[in-house]
Amino acid sequence: MNDMLSLSAGLPERRFDPADTVVVEGGSAAAIWVLVSGALEVSKNGVAFNTVTQPGALVGEISVLLGVPYGATVRATTPSVLRHAEDGAALLDRHPAIARLVAVGLAERLNFVTTYLVDLKQQYGNAPGLSMVADVLRELSQRQAPPARPGSARDPDPDY
Amino acid sequence: MAYAGALLAVLLAEPALLGVLPVSAVGGVLVFLGCELLSPALWRKPAELGRLLSRRGGGTESARRRVGSLAADWGVNAAVALSALVFGLAQAVLVGASFSVLLFARANMCDVVRRVWTGDIRHSLKTRPTEVAEVLQREGCSTVLLEIEGMLFFGTADALRDRLQQLAPRADTVILDLRQVREIDVTPARILQEVAEDWDQIGKPLVFAEWPANDPRREVLAAVAEQPKGNGLRFVDHVDLALEQAEERLLQRLRVDRAAGARLGLGETTRARGLSNEELALLGAELTAHEFAQGHVMFRAGAPGDVLYISPQGEIALRVPGTMRRLASFAPGVTIGEMAVLARAPRSAEAVAESDVSALGLSTAAFERLIQQHPQLAAKLCRNIAVHLSDRVRMLTGDLSDWVSRSGGARPPAQPP
C-alpha cells in the first residue's frame, strides 16, 4: 500500500477532524480516496464494523468500479489526511499501475473475507445463526458472469 | 499450599486447637466450600440467558431453542441444589433423576427436522448451462433435503421415519443433512437403516450427508448396517456433493443433454469488456490455449502461480484447500488465478475442471509486456479484474456485516486495506 502512496503523490490532499465524514452510505460515488495518515471508522446501518489505519488504504474504489452508491459511511476517528481523485474511474483508466494495485488489494480482501467465512463455518458450524455463513458462501458462487445461470438459490427464509 | 499443609498438620497433631478457631470463621469456610461444590453453570447461565434475550433478532427459531435449552438446564441445576439444601442429598438425587427422565421424554417428542428444502430452491454449487438450470428449477422438487438437528433417539427417529414415509410417493431422492445431529445410539441407527432399506427396495436413494468417514456418528450407523440385513446405506461427505449427484440422476432420467454450452468468444468474457477489436487482437496474441479434462486439477493451493486463466468454455470449481468441499463454481467467461499475474502470489485455492474446460492462459511475462507496451489495454484489463473482484467483495462484506449486526456475533477482525 506504500506503493499506492507514491503512485497517488500528485493527488490533492484534504484534512479531516475526528467525526468528520469522508463518504456517506448511499451517497453517489465518483471519487476515490487514499488514506495518508490518521484513522477511519467504517460503518453500515449505524453499526461500525471496520477500522482503517494503514496509510495507502483506499476508500470508495468498489463503488466507483461497480457504479453504485457508497456501501458504507466512513468517518475520521483521529485527525486524518486523505488524497482524493474526484473522477475515480478516470484515474483507474489513466494509470494501469494504480488499477493493478486496486485489483491486488481487492483480491487480498476477497481472499481474506472468504477465508474468514470458511474458518467461521468450520469452527462454529453447529452454532445457531451460522447457517447464514453457508448462505453467504452459496451466494458467492452465484456471482458469475453471463451467460450461464447461477448454480444455486438463496435461502428464501434465512434465520438471520 | 504450604500454609494449608502446615495448618492441616497442626490440626491433625493437636485437634483440640480447632476449638480456639472462631465458629464464624469455620462456618464461612464451610459455606465457601459448599458454594464451590455447586455447578458454576448455576450463576453463569442466567448471564448467558440475559445476553441471548437482549440480542436483536433473538426471536428466531434457533435462538428460541437455545434459550429454552439453557433455561431448562438452569432450572434442573437450581432444583437439585435447592433440594439438597432443604431436604438432603438423597432427595436431591431423586429430583435430578426425575427431571432427567422428563427432559429425555421431551427431547424424544421434539421434531428434529430443522428445515426442508426441495431441489427447485436449493441447488448444488455446480454451475449449469442456462437450459439445464431451468430444467432443474422446473423438475427439482422431486429432490428433498432435510436438515436434521438435535439428538436422535428412538422417539425422534421414529418421527423421522414417519416423515420419510410421507415423502416417499413424491420424492425421488431424499438427502439427510446430519451435520447438526448431536447424538445417535443403536436404536435410531437401526430405524434409519431400516428406512434406507425400504427406500432402496423402491429404487429411491436415501442419502446420509455430512458424516464423513471416521465420524463416530457414522460409525454407529455403519455398525448397525453391517448386520446381515444391512445394505443400501449411501454416505456422501457433503450436502453439496449429494445435491449434485441427485441433480445428475434427475437429468439422466429426464434425458437432458448435460454437455457444456457454446464456446464464448474472447470479447464475451468478463476480462475483455470494453476492449476494442484492435485491443482484443493484441490480447489474443498474448494468450495460450489450454484444455483440461473433467476432474483435472488446474492448480493447487500454495503452488506458485505464473498464469491466469480465462475460460471461454466449461465450468471451474474452487475448493477449500485440503478438502473436497466446493467453495464456488464459475460459469464460462470468468477468470481465475488473477493474483498470479497481478502480484506473483501463490495460489490461494484449488481449481478443478468441473466439465471439459477450454481455457486461455495469460502468463505473468505476457501481462508485464502488455503493461510496458500497451498501458491503456493493461489498465482496462486491471479494471475489469477489479470490477469482478469488487462485486464479490462487496457482496461478502455486506452480508457478513449484516450478519454481525443482526446476530450480535463476534466482530470480524479488521480487514487488510
Side-chain angles (χ1 to χ4, degrees), chain B residues 380-391:
Chain B
K380 285 182 183 175
L381 281 176
C382 287
R383 187 175 172 177
N384 284 342
I385 291 173
V387 167
H388 176 63
L389 293 170
S390 293
D391 189 32

PDB file of all heavy atoms in Angstrom, chain B residues 380-391:
ATOM      1  N   LYS B 380      -7.277  -1.339 -18.732  1.00  0.00           N
ATOM      2  CA  LYS B 380      -8.644  -1.874 -18.893  1.00  0.00           C
ATOM      3  C   LYS B 380      -8.753  -3.286 -18.336  1.00  0.00           C
ATOM      4  O   LYS B 380      -9.748  -3.645 -17.705  1.00  0.00           O
ATOM      5  CB  LYS B 380      -9.037  -1.869 -20.376  1.00  0.00           C
ATOM      6  CG  LYS B 380      -9.361  -0.483 -20.908  1.00  0.00           C
ATOM      7  CD  LYS B 380      -9.781  -0.550 -22.371  1.00  0.00           C
ATOM      8  CE  LYS B 380     -10.037   0.841 -22.932  1.00  0.00           C
ATOM      9  NZ  LYS B 380     -10.332   0.809 -24.370  1.00  0.00           N
ATOM     10  N   LEU B 381      -7.715  -4.088 -18.601  1.00  0.00           N
ATOM     11  CA  LEU B 381      -7.727  -5.457 -18.071  1.00  0.00           C
ATOM     12  C   LEU B 381      -7.774  -5.435 -16.541  1.00  0.00           C
ATOM     13  O   LEU B 381      -8.552  -6.152 -15.918  1.00  0.00           O
ATOM     14  CB  LEU B 381      -6.474  -6.217 -18.523  1.00  0.00           C
ATOM     15  CG  LEU B 381      -6.460  -6.767 -19.939  1.00  0.00           C
ATOM     16  CD1 LEU B 381      -5.108  -7.408 -20.233  1.00  0.00           C
ATOM     17  CD2 LEU B 381      -7.580  -7.787 -20.131  1.00  0.00           C
ATOM     18  N   CYS B 382      -6.911  -4.594 -15.944  1.00  0.00           N
ATOM     19  CA  CYS B 382      -6.871  -4.498 -14.478  1.00  0.00           C
ATOM     20  C   CYS B 382      -8.218  -4.027 -13.947  1.00  0.00           C
ATOM     21  O   CYS B 382      -8.711  -4.510 -12.933  1.00  0.00           O
ATOM     22  CB  CYS B 382      -5.775  -3.538 -14.025  1.00  0.00           C
ATOM     23  SG  CYS B 382      -4.128  -4.199 -14.219  1.00  0.00           S
ATOM     24  N   ARG B 383      -8.793  -3.057 -14.655  1.00  0.00           N
ATOM     25  CA  ARG B 383     -10.073  -2.543 -14.188  1.00  0.00           C
ATOM     26  C   ARG B 383     -11.162  -3.621 -14.282  1.00  0.00           C
ATOM     27  O   ARG B 383     -11.992  -3.751 -13.388  1.00  0.00           O
ATOM     28  CB  ARG B 383     -10.460  -1.332 -15.024  1.00  0.00           C
ATOM     29  CG  ARG B 383     -11.684  -0.670 -14.474  1.00  0.00           C
ATOM     30  CD  ARG B 383     -12.033   0.580 -15.198  1.00  0.00           C
ATOM     31  NE  ARG B 383     -13.329   1.038 -14.706  1.00  0.00           N
ATOM     32  CZ  ARG B 383     -13.915   2.130 -15.089  1.00  0.00           C
ATOM     33  NH1 ARG B 383     -13.335   2.901 -15.948  1.00  0.00           N
ATOM     34  NH2 ARG B 383     -15.077   2.462 -14.613  1.00  0.00           N
ATOM     35  N   ASN B 384     -11.166  -4.393 -15.354  1.00  0.00           N
ATOM     36  CA  ASN B 384     -12.153  -5.472 -15.476  1.00  0.00           C
ATOM     37  C   ASN B 384     -11.982  -6.502 -14.367  1.00  0.00           C
ATOM     38  O   ASN B 384     -12.960  -7.007 -13.809  1.00  0.00           O
ATOM     39  CB  ASN B 384     -12.037  -6.142 -16.847  1.00  0.00           C
ATOM     40  CG  ASN B 384     -12.639  -5.287 -17.951  1.00  0.00           C
ATOM     41  OD1 ASN B 384     -13.411  -4.374 -17.681  1.00  0.00           O
ATOM     42  ND2 ASN B 384     -12.269  -5.565 -19.183  1.00  0.00           N
ATOM     43  N   ILE B 385     -10.731  -6.831 -14.087  1.00  0.00           N
ATOM     44  CA  ILE B 385     -10.480  -7.768 -12.977  1.00  0.00           C
ATOM     45  C   ILE B 385     -10.983  -7.153 -11.676  1.00  0.00           C
ATOM     46  O   ILE B 385     -11.650  -7.814 -10.874  1.00  0.00           O
ATOM     47  CB  ILE B 385      -8.965  -8.080 -12.873  1.00  0.00           C
ATOM     48  CG1 ILE B 385      -8.517  -8.901 -14.076  1.00  0.00           C
ATOM     49  CG2 ILE B 385      -8.653  -8.820 -11.578  1.00  0.00           C
ATOM     50  CD1 ILE B 385      -7.009  -9.127 -14.152  1.00  0.00           C
ATOM     51  N   ALA B 386     -10.697  -5.855 -11.462  1.00  0.00           N
ATOM     52  CA  ALA B 386     -11.097  -5.183 -10.221  1.00  0.00           C
ATOM     53  C   ALA B 386     -12.622  -5.125 -10.095  1.00  0.00           C
ATOM     54  O   ALA B 386     -13.166  -5.282  -8.994  1.00  0.00           O
ATOM     55  CB  ALA B 386     -10.503  -3.772 -10.172  1.00  0.00           C
ATOM     56  N   VAL B 387     -13.317  -4.930 -11.211  1.00  0.00           N
ATOM     57  CA  VAL B 387     -14.784  -4.886 -11.163  1.00  0.00           C
ATOM     58  C   VAL B 387     -15.335  -6.232 -10.691  1.00  0.00           C
ATOM     59  O   VAL B 387     -16.204  -6.311  -9.815  1.00  0.00           O
ATOM     60  CB  VAL B 387     -15.367  -4.526 -12.551  1.00  0.00           C
ATOM     61  CG1 VAL B 387     -16.864  -4.789 -12.595  1.00  0.00           C
ATOM     62  CG2 VAL B 387     -15.083  -3.068 -12.884  1.00  0.00           C
ATOM     63  N   HIS B 388     -14.825  -7.308 -11.260  1.00  0.00           N
ATOM     64  CA  HIS B 388     -15.278  -8.651 -10.885  1.00  0.00           C
ATOM     65  C   HIS B 388     -15.002  -8.908  -9.398  1.00  0.00           C
ATOM     66  O   HIS B 388     -15.872  -9.398  -8.662  1.00  0.00           O
ATOM     67  CB  HIS B 388     -14.543  -9.676 -11.757  1.00  0.00           C
ATOM     68  CG  HIS B 388     -14.841 -11.092 -11.419  1.00  0.00           C
ATOM     69  ND1 HIS B 388     -16.091 -11.641 -11.526  1.00  0.00           N
ATOM     70  CD2 HIS B 388     -14.044 -12.084 -10.946  1.00  0.00           C
ATOM     71  CE1 HIS B 388     -16.057 -12.905 -11.154  1.00  0.00           C
ATOM     72  NE2 HIS B 388     -14.827 -13.194 -10.793  1.00  0.00           N
ATOM     73  N   LEU B 389     -13.793  -8.538  -8.950  1.00  0.00           N
ATOM     74  CA  LEU B 389     -13.440  -8.760  -7.546  1.00  0.00           C
ATOM     75  C   LEU B 389     -14.288  -7.873  -6.629  1.00  0.00           C
ATOM     76  O   LEU B 389     -14.712  -8.299  -5.556  1.00  0.00           O
ATOM     77  CB  LEU B 389     -11.952  -8.462  -7.335  1.00  0.00           C
ATOM     78  CG  LEU B 389     -10.972  -9.412  -8.029  1.00  0.00           C
ATOM     79  CD1 LEU B 389      -9.551  -8.858  -7.946  1.00  0.00           C
ATOM     80  CD2 LEU B 389     -11.019 -10.795  -7.402  1.00  0.00           C
ATOM     81  N   SER B 390     -14.534  -6.633  -7.072  1.00  0.00           N
ATOM     82  CA  SER B 390     -15.325  -5.707  -6.256  1.00  0.00           C
ATOM     83  C   SER B 390     -16.711  -6.261  -5.980  1.00  0.00           C
ATOM     84  O   SER B 390     -17.225  -6.174  -4.864  1.00  0.00           O
ATOM     85  CB  SER B 390     -15.502  -4.371  -6.991  1.00  0.00           C
ATOM     86  OG  SER B 390     -14.297  -3.720  -7.107  1.00  0.00           O
ATOM     87  N   ASP B 391     -17.315  -6.818  -7.012  1.00  0.00           N
ATOM     88  CA  ASP B 391     -18.664  -7.351  -6.874  1.00  0.00           C
ATOM     89  C   ASP B 391     -18.698  -8.425  -5.796  1.00  0.00           C
ATOM     90  O   ASP B 391     -19.572  -8.442  -4.935  1.00  0.00           O
ATOM     91  CB  ASP B 391     -19.103  -7.919  -8.229  1.00  0.00           C
ATOM     92  CG  ASP B 391     -20.572  -8.300  -8.223  1.00  0.00           C
ATOM     93  OD1 ASP B 391     -21.338  -7.628  -7.515  1.00  0.00           O
ATOM     94  OD2 ASP B 391     -20.927  -9.259  -8.912  1.00  0.00           O
TER      95      ASP B 391
END
